[in-house]
Amino acid sequence: MPQKIAFITKPKAEFEVPSSEGYQLYSAILEIIRESDEAISEHAHNSPIGSIALGGLRGRFKRCGRPHHKLLDPHNKYEFCVGITDPKEVEIFQSLIKPLILRERDIVLDQGALGIEEVASFGATFEELVESAKGFQDPKIEFWFRSATCIQYKNTKVFEMFPHREAVFFSLVAKWNAVCPTPKMDIERDEIARYVLERPDAQSYRTHSAMVNTVFDKRKGHPRPILRQGFSGRCTYSFAKGAPQDFRNAILVLSRFAEYSGVGSAVSRGCGWVEVGVSEVRK
């Protein structure tokens, strides 16, 4: 059963975080889980299916004199979300929530800590996600790619820099099939290209080079960043005339699922967090 947890936090003091703070958040979340259940922490970290999707911090930041960094203001609150789609979601959920709520544990980042102000959780079974797709006659789907969405093309080092329908929905097909017990989705890239239309919002479209981790460079003798390229912004998807109804339903299911799984790679490091809305096309 996919789960989503929304946290509202407040910094204990002013401190800086990288512009791409997701990898720091991920390390902090994983450490909290490890303290509660080391085996579950190891499973979440090593799972090839991507156990956790993480949204970056949202709120009002102060300007920072250090390049590619921003300041957290102790007078403001910051929200972020965690999505869990792993089959062990119950254990991951409990290992995260118990220390934060019952033990009033802070989220400790490299330069400071975030105190927990509010927590809300949401969940839906795979069957409920399938049912949510029914009843639409001519739907349009609005994706808001809130954080840098990094979709790697197959086994290359090439990343998509545009919310292309094939890239977005084929990524979601792979994520769904990795965790859903049944039924698996048998959707071809050509079907997505043939039957789905995209309309990006030029005003909100941005490109990014997001830091998802660091690695120690033995040759240079200091850590260096690992970067992933991607995009953010709003994009509306609709269906071409003649799109089969079962295909439409499958795309709607994947759209709902995206709010738990994220889109693309490095979702545990804060990339690919999306908010999705579905409505009828007005005639």
Side-chain angles (χ1 to χ4, degrees):
M1 176 178 173
Q3 298 271 355
K4 182 166 64 175
I5 315 168
F7 295 95
I8 295 178
T9 67
K10 194 171 185 180
K12 298 291 186 178
E14 181 179 283
F15 66 94
E16 66 180 30
V17 293
S19 299
S20 305
E21 77 279 3
Y23 79 97
Q24 278 197 21
L25 267 178
Y26 173 70
S27 296
I29 292 295
L30 206 63
E31 177 61 20
I32 291 168
I33 296 174
R34 188 194 65 79
E35 291 175 3
S36 182
D37 191 323
E38 190 166 349
I40 287 297
S41 172
E42 185 175 348
H43 168 83
H45 182 64
N46 296 329
S47 174
I49 63 177
S51 304
I52 295 174
L54 184 63
L57 294 171
R58 290 171 57 190
R60 296 183 64 182
F61 297 92
K62 298 174 69 174
R63 296 184 66 178
C64 182
R66 187 179 177 188
H68 309 299
H69 284 71
K70 54 194 176 185
L71 281 174
L72 293 173
D73 185 349
H75 298 101
N76 290 328
K77 295 181 180 181
Y78 299 87
E79 180 182 358
F80 73 96
C81 293
V82 177
I84 307 170
T85 58
D86 190 281
K88 291 183 177 289
E89 84 277 343
V90 173
E91 292 94 328
I92 296 172
F93 181 86
Q94 291 178 346
S95 298
L96 177 58
I97 288 296
K98 284 182 179 179
L100 291 174
I101 303 302
L102 300 182
R103 301 172 201 163
E104 298 184 346
R105 171 76 152 77
D106 292 337
I107 298 173
V108 181
L109 304 181
D110 286 0
Q111 300 296 323
L114 298 170
I116 302 297
E117 297 280 307
E118 297 178 36
V119 177
S121 64
F122 315 87
T125 65
F126 290 102
E127 292 78 11
E128 287 171 339
L129 291 175
V130 171
E131 286 297 315
S132 72
K134 298 178 180 178
F136 290 95
Q137 298 300 314
D138 190 12
K140 65 176 180 179
I141 310 163
E142 184 177 82
F143 271 63
W144 186 302
F145 298 94
R146 288 289 188 179
S147 62
T149 302
C150 310
I151 307 176
Q152 191 171 3
Y153 183 75
K154 294 185 178 179
N155 296 318
T156 72
K157 294 184 179 180
V158 177
F159 287 83
E160 302 285 347
M161 298 303 288
F162 181 82
H164 193 277
R165 56 196 184 277
E166 281 187 63
V168 169
F169 287 104
F170 205 68
S171 166
L172 290 169
V173 169
K175 291 179 183 295
W176 175 275
N177 287 343
V179 298
C180 181
T182 185
K184 304 296 183 185
M185 287 198 183
D186 185 19
I187 297 178
E188 301 294 333
R189 293 187 75 107
D190 183 67
E191 290 181 285
I192 300 171
R194 183 185 302 271
Y195 294 125
V196 179
L197 309 172
E198 74 259 325
R199 183 177 295 173
D201 173 34
Q203 298 293 325
S204 61
Y205 171 73
R206 299 287 186 275
T207 59
H208 302 268
S209 186
M211 183 165 65
V212 299
N213 210 337
T214 58
V215 63
F216 188 79
D217 190 322
K218 293 181 180 179
R219 186 168 60 87
K220 295 184 177 180
H222 59 75
R224 62 176 175 83
I226 297 176
L227 303 175
R228 295 289 182 267
Q229 287 67 51
F231 59 87
S232 64
R234 285 194 299 266
C235 187
T236 299
Y237 301 93
S238 56
F239 295 99
K241 187 176 180 180
Q245 189 61 49
D246 59 346
F247 174 83
R248 292 177 183 235
N249 289 346
I251 293 297
L252 289 172
V253 170
L254 292 173
S255 300
R256 299 292 195 192
F257 178 66
E259 292 196 293
Y260 299 93
S261 68
V263 178
S265 63
V267 293
S268 63
R269 270 72 172 180
C271 295
W273 188 259
V274 297
E275 295 176 358
V276 180
V278 180
S279 60
E280 291 284 359
V281 174
R282 293 182 179 179
K283 303 298 184 180

